[in-house]
Amino acid sequence: GSYLPEFVCNINLLGVKDVAIGAQRLENEWKNFDFGDLQLATGKRYAPFGGSSLDDDDLTAVLLCIDAANIVESLKLTRCHNITGRGLEPLRGSKILKRIDLSLVGEHDDPRVYSKLKVKEVVPILKSIVINKSIGACQQLRHVQLPFQWRQEKKDELTYFMLAYNGLLHLSPSRMCCNHAEIECT
């Protein structure tokens, strides 16, 4: 990415102690994080033919900087069409994530938008969060919103994840929901 790594480098220059203090002070600001809002704030827009929108490197840098695996409870990627999913790696094993919206659409947007998100990059990260949660006493991840395009592709890896995830939701005392057309959740 072009904008955020420089931003993160400037934060890292403050030293580890200053970053930790800053993250603690802003912890509530990052609990419900829409990367699309940051994309708007930077003036980056998705342009399918050579635009300069934020990418996975930018997402990784921000998630690492804010200690997302321990801070972020809800993550959305509204209109972040340049993300493949690799940038979600800092969320691997999160014990606090309750909601993740990978649909890439905002309110009143057409859900049939093209997605660069790759099942092979995203599902292992989601599995690590669910498996991590299943070891503990309480499931935190309650809502997973998937891209419309994935429902059309019907990849085995996604189907297996959804079956396992929905099986866990029926075993878990706190209900979770995987928002997908072919699976009914409560």
Side-chain angles (χ1 to χ4, degrees):
S2 56
Y3 178 80
L4 292 181
E6 183 179 316
F7 168 76
V8 173
C9 288
N10 288 338
I11 290 174
N12 289 338
L13 290 175
L14 297 174
V16 175
K17 184 177 179 183
D18 291 337
V19 171
I21 291 168
Q24 180 75 20
R25 197 172 57 237
L26 296 174
E27 183 174 328
N28 288 332
E29 300 288 327
W30 297 111
K31 281 187 180 188
N32 298 303
F33 178 48
D34 187 344
F35 192 62
D37 290 343
L38 190 56
Q39 182 165 270
L40 271 174
T42 63
K44 303 290 183 178
R45 301 285 191 275
Y46 174 68
F49 305 108
S52 61
S53 60
L54 298 179
D55 61 19
D56 286 277
D57 292 335
D58 298 317
L59 181 59
T60 297
V62 171
L63 293 177
L64 285 172
C65 181
I66 64 174
D67 189 22
N70 296 306
I71 302 287
V72 175
E73 294 178 5
S74 174
L75 176 68
K76 292 177 83 174
L77 300 176
T78 305
R79 297 182 189 102
C80 294
H81 303 286
N82 207 28
I83 303 291
T84 65
R86 175 177 50 83
L88 296 168
E89 187 63 36
L91 290 174
R92 185 176 288 278
S94 172
K95 294 177 182 156
I96 194 156
L97 190 66
K98 296 177 182 177
R99 181 180 198 286
I100 187 164
D101 183 343
L102 303 172
S103 68
L104 306 181
V105 297
E107 197 172 327
H108 309 296
D109 286 354
D110 184 345
R112 294 171 293 184
V113 67
Y114 173 75
S115 170
K116 287 185 179 181
L117 281 171
K118 295 182 176 145
V119 169
K120 288 191 180 285
E121 291 185 11
V122 174
V123 168
I125 296 166
L126 292 176
K127 281 182 186 176
S128 77
I129 294 167
V130 171
I131 290 169
N132 193 350
K133 302 285 187 266
S134 66
I135 294 168
C138 179
Q139 280 285 358
Q140 291 295 319
L141 188 61
R142 296 183 192 125
H143 181 91
V144 178
Q145 181 87 25
L146 301 171
F148 178 85
Q149 178 181 330
W150 286 9
R151 292 179 236 157
Q152 309 306 308
E153 294 171 354
K154 299 181 182 179
K155 300 213 175 189
D156 287 344
E157 187 174 3
L158 179 62
T159 301
Y160 297 142
F161 166 74
M162 289 171 39
L163 289 170
Y165 179 71
N166 282 308
L168 284 172
L169 87 82
H170 292 293
L171 297 174
S172 175
S174 67
R175 304 292 282 178
M176 301 177 297
C177 181
C178 185
N179 197 352
H180 194 282
E182 287 104 34
I183 295 182
E184 189 171 319
C185 303
T186 54

